[in-house]
């Protein structure tokens, strides 16, 4: 396959039709047609974004209350730059403090070694005093070497926390939804048994799930103290809420994908006398992967939307908590920072969606769906 074919296939699989006109133009195809494509995918969005920014600036000059005003694009951008500068400053200070603690640990270990040597040259109570001092210096060195900065999470830290939470919740939802969806698709009786639960729980809001998820997590953590558990309560409450709200699209699409496997494939499996597991892994799952990944894509999008509300209510230190804390803060930068976080949330959601489109197209057996 030549470079043109490989490049076009990459555009299709990656869900990036915006690059296709450039590839075709470089390959020498009709320039007029490709320029029309570039105008459609590049120039037109630039114009609409410019119009949006103009309307946004106009609204920012108009919407002013006694204590606050709608931030404009420039104020929002400056607030974002400030947030990233604060992150870099905080990380530099943390790194400096860690290095200082490491130096203290080295010095303490050196002192402990001197105490050991002094103890070896002494005897009786004097030797015991030297050994006790050596133990104290070693404990001091261990504490310094294991120093963890206690500074408040920065905006970037909160983005990473949100990503970890949504991926953890998404993984739990996938582990539950895919096996159940396969069973529902393969067995009409199992599907009939599960259908009432799916229909009732699918439209439930995360705001309703969160108190119940919190109750279960608090019950599970009863008797344990902070630092003894692997996950924080707030993190698990948010992740479980994400799971409960995002598993349904994957479950429904997996059921549909498995149930709609071509009957000819199943007849061939019977002729070849394939076992149940061979039918599942060689025919049913590969044939249902496109619909399954379509469900996973929707689930991840739902999970990302739900996460913000879950972070707010569970006080998980992610983007939702950042928005809530800024709203409660009431500083002059509050609404500009909230507006910037809204843009970041949207951009991350777009990137996650592109990734799922790419994964879905990779399992579509040469017939990727358009983005």
């Amino acid at each position: 396959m030549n470079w043109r074919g490989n490049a076009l296939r990459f555009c299709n699989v990656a869900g990036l039709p915006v690059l296709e006109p450039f590839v075709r133009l470089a390959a020498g195809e009709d320039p007029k047609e490709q320029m029309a494509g570039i105008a459609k995918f590049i120039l037109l969005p630039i114009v609409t974004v410019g119009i949006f920014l103009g309307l946004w600036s106009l609204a920012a000059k108009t919407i002013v209350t006694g204590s606050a005003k709608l931030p404009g694009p420039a104020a929002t951008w400056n607030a974002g730059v400030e947030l990233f500068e604060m992150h870099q400053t905080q990380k530099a200070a943390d790194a400096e403090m860690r290095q200082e603690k490491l130096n203290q640990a080295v010095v303490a270990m050196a002192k402990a070694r001197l105490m050991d040597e002094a103890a070896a040259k002494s005897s009786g109570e004097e030797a015991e005093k030297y050994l006790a001092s050596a133990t104290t210096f070693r404990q001091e060195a261990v504490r310094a070497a294991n120093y963890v900065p206690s500074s408040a999470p920065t905006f970037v830290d909160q983005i990473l926390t949100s990503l970890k939470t949504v991926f953890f919740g998404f993984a739990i939802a996938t582990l539950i939804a895919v096996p159940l969806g396969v069973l529902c698709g393969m067995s009409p009786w199992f599907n009939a048994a599960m259908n009432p639960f799916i229909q009732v729980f699918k439209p439930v809001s995360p705001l309703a799930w969160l108190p119940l998820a919190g109750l279960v997590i608090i019950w599970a953590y009863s008797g344990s103290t902070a630092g003894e558990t692997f996950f924080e309560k707030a993190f698990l409450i948010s992740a479980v809420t994400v799971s409960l709200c995002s598993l349904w699209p994957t479950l429904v699409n997996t059921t549909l994908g498995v149930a709609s496997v071509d009957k000819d494939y199943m007849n061939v499996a019977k002729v070849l006398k394939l076992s149940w597991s061979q039918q599942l892994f060689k025919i049913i799952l590969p044939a249902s992967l496109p619909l399954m990944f379509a469900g996973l894509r929707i689930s991840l999008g739902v999970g990302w939307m739900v996460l913000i509300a879950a972070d707010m209510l569970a006080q998980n230190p992610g983007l939702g908590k950042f928005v809530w804390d800024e709203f409660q803060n009431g500083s002059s930068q509050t609404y500009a920072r909230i507006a910037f976080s809204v843009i970041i949330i949207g951009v991350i959601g777009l990137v996650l969606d592109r990734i799922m489109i790419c994964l879905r197209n990779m399992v579509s057996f040469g017939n990727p769906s358009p983005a």
Side-chain angles (χ1 to χ4, degrees):
M1 189 177 290
N2 56 26
W3 70 268
R4 174 187 169 280
N6 288 329
L8 290 176
R9 176 167 173 74
F10 170 78
C11 294
N12 288 332
V13 172
L16 295 172
V18 64
L19 299 179
E20 279 194 27
F22 294 99
V23 174
R24 295 184 184 278
L25 190 63
E29 296 188 20
D30 185 5
K32 186 177 180 181
E33 183 179 351
Q34 305 319 316
M35 290 306 294
I38 292 172
K40 176 183 176 183
F41 289 115
I42 303 292
L43 297 181
L44 187 58
I46 290 176
V47 171
T48 53
V49 169
I51 294 173
F52 170 75
L53 292 177
L55 293 174
W56 183 5
S57 300
L58 187 62
K61 294 177 182 176
T62 307
I63 301 176
V64 180
T65 66
S67 57
K69 61 176 291 188
L70 181 69
T76 302
W77 173 259
N78 292 333
V81 171
E82 184 186 24
L83 286 173
F84 282 99
E85 288 176 349
M86 289 169 62
H87 168 76
Q88 292 176 346
T89 304
Q90 184 63 60
K91 291 305 170 186
D94 290 344
E96 186 178 351
M97 182 58 72
R98 273 196 294 268
Q99 185 60 47
E100 184 179 336
K101 289 291 183 182
L102 284 176
N103 294 337
Q104 291 178 4
V106 171
V107 172
M109 285 302 294
K111 290 180 178 178
R113 188 170 182 177
L114 290 175
M115 292 298 106
D116 285 336
E117 291 174 357
K121 296 176 182 175
S122 306
S123 60
E125 293 183 359
E126 189 177 8
E128 292 179 358
K129 288 181 181 177
Y130 282 130
L131 289 175
S133 298
T135 302
T136 303
F137 281 127
R138 285 196 186 90
Q139 292 173 344
E140 181 183 337
V142 170
R143 283 194 299 271
N146 293 306
Y147 168 76
V148 177
S150 57
S151 54
T154 64
F155 182 65
V156 176
D157 294 332
Q158 288 172 303
I159 292 175
L160 296 177
T161 300
S162 286
L163 286 172
K164 284 190 289 187
T165 308
V166 77
F167 279 122
F168 189 75
F170 177 69
I172 295 174
T174 302
L175 291 175
I176 296 172
V178 170
L180 285 180
V182 171
L183 292 174
C184 288
M186 295 181 69
S187 170
W189 287 89
F190 189 81
N191 188 27
M194 292 296 299
N195 192 50
F197 298 101
I198 297 172
Q199 299 303 326
V200 170
F201 292 136
K202 187 172 61 174
V204 175
S205 164
L207 302 180
W209 280 119
L210 193 135
L212 298 176
L215 176 64
V216 174
I217 299 301
I218 291 170
W219 168 79
Y221 273 42
S222 59
S224 59
T225 57
E228 293 181 348
T229 55
F230 193 73
F231 296 110
E232 296 291 333
K233 286 181 186 177
F235 173 83
L236 274 185
I237 292 172
S238 292
V240 170
T241 304
V242 168
S243 302
L244 291 172
C245 295
S246 64
L247 66 88
W248 308 108
T250 301
L251 175 54
V252 172
N253 276 269
T254 303
T255 301
L256 180 61
V258 172
S260 59
V261 173
D262 196 326
K263 299 301 178 187
D264 291 341
Y265 295 165
M266 303 308 297
N267 292 333
V268 171
K270 290 178 182 176
V271 171
L272 296 176
K273 296 182 180 179
L274 297 182
S275 64
W276 183 85
S277 61
Q278 287 176 320
Q279 291 182 33
L280 176 64
F281 291 106
K282 292 184 180 296
I283 296 178
I284 295 174
L285 287 181
S288 58
L289 276 179
L291 270 174
M292 192 185 299
F293 269 85
L296 289 171
R297 177 193 174 194
I298 299 171
S299 288
L300 188 56
V302 170
W304 184 243
M305 285 192 295
V306 166
L307 175 71
I308 305 305
D311 278 350
M312 282 186 183
L313 296 176
Q315 289 297 290
N316 184 40
L319 282 171
K321 186 174 185 298
F322 172 82
V323 172
W324 182 251
D325 288 345
E326 286 297 326
F327 179 68
Q328 296 290 320
N329 184 14
S331 71
S332 58
Q333 294 290 314
T334 287
Y335 290 99
R337 289 179 178 177
I338 291 176
F340 184 75
S341 65
V342 167
I343 294 173
I344 291 296
I345 291 168
V347 170
I348 293 174
L350 172 65
V351 172
L352 295 179
D353 190 60
R354 292 290 106 179
I355 292 173
M356 292 308 297
I357 287 176
C358 183
L359 293 176
R360 183 198 62 186
N361 290 342
M362 290 174 69
V363 299
S364 295
F365 306 104
N367 185 28
S369 301

